Amino acid sequence: AQSVAQPEDQVNVAEGNPLTVKCTYSVSGNPYLFWYVQYPNRGLQFLLKYITGDNLVKGSYGFEAEFNKSQTSFHLKKPSALVSDSALYFCAVRDGVYGGATNKLIFGTGTLLAVQP
Amino acid sequence: NAGVTQTPKFRILKIGQSMTLQCTQDMNHNYMYWYRQDPGMGLKLIYYSVGAGITDKGEVPNGYNVSRSTTEDFPLRLELAAPSQTSVYFCASSLTGVTDTQYFGPGTRLTVL
């Protein structure tokens, strides 16, 4: 069965410092990996995704994520955090095996990013 | 292009009441989804649809029903509301179901008392 884990409930970082939000996954086939961000009282917004190709994926608002197959990880990163980056971040995975129940997108429990000025 | 819209934004129900959460998308997406979000639990898939007339259960379908008569609309029906259905409900859509990005509506916050 596919699963995704976000080991940190909250990440605190000072504005201007680099940030990392961790995500690990488990699938039986090739993973399709996504990051979403949720601002208070809003729906989820797409940040970036890995389907195939280059392991470093660049997305919206200066975020990037690195796919590491050997460590089954897809950590979200940004070189310099902004106070406006404070939000809830979700990692999600879909198993690349075609067909049926394995194609559903499974979400992690979310990591709250707090950027202090 | 409004994307995915949901109504209502907020609703309070009494135990045993029924209601329909509305979801509409104007992107001509084939796939639509309903999720619920509970604190500390991430999002759980309730039902999904791969096209008009085709729906299937997700992880937590009990207590809910859906229909998809058009490409644009995917309403979620609660027949006998229970306190366990207190949650935030999100509708989403995607062009296809495998590698495409899902686009989310703003959510409906439902409280069952």
Side-chain angles (χ1 to χ4, degrees), chain B residues 68-108:
Chain B
R68 183 101 181 268
S69 58
T70 67
T71 299
E72 295 78 19
D73 301 306
F74 190 41
L76 177 71
R77 178 84 178 160
L78 283 71
E79 290 295 347
L80 292 170
S84 60
Q85 294 177 306
T86 294
S87 188
V88 181
Y89 292 84
F90 289 101
C91 179
S93 72
S94 63
L95 185 59
T96 68
V98 182
T99 61
D100 274 358
T101 300
Q102 290 186 17
Y103 294 89
F104 285 79
T108 294

Side-chain angles (χ1 to χ4, degrees), chain B residues 19-77:
Chain B
M19 77 164 294
T20 299
L21 282 66
Q22 301 292 345
C23 175
T24 300
Q25 54 93 7
D26 62 0
M27 297 175 282
N28 203 30
H29 284 173
N30 296 313
Y31 285 62
M32 296 187 74
Y33 314 82
W34 275 105
Y35 293 92
R36 58 178 288 171
Q37 183 182 29
D38 300 310
M41 299 294 291
L43 276 75
K44 299 294 185 185
L45 183 65
I46 305 171
Y47 271 96
Y48 68 102
S49 169
V50 302
I54 307 170
T55 62
D56 203 354
K57 297 177 180 178
E59 300 172 83
V60 289
N62 292 342
Y64 307 95
N65 278 301
V66 294
S67 60
R68 183 101 181 268
S69 58
T70 67
T71 299
E72 295 78 19
D73 301 306
F74 190 41
L76 177 71
R77 178 84 178 160

Side-chain angles (χ1 to χ4, degrees), chain A residues 32 36 38 46 49 90 94, chain B residues 37 90 97-99 101-102:
Chain A
Y32 298 149
Y36 286 84
Q38 185 180 30
F46 169 74
K49 66 181 177 182
F90 289 97
R94 175 182 284 120
Chain B
Q37 183 182 29
F90 289 101
V98 182
T99 61
T101 300
Q102 290 186 17

Side-chain angles (χ1 to χ4, degrees), chain A residues 52-93:
Chain A
T52 187
D54 194 345
N55 289 344
L56 185 64
V57 179
K58 294 187 183 297
S60 306
Y61 313 122
F63 284 93
E64 58 188 29
E66 186 167 12
F67 171 62
N68 188 318
K69 188 171 183 177
S70 62
Q71 297 187 3
T72 62
S73 67
F74 189 56
H75 300 332
L76 182 70
K77 299 181 180 185
K78 188 174 182 182
S80 178
L82 299 172
V83 172
S84 58
D85 292 330
S86 299
L88 189 58
Y89 289 81
F90 289 97
C91 182
V93 67

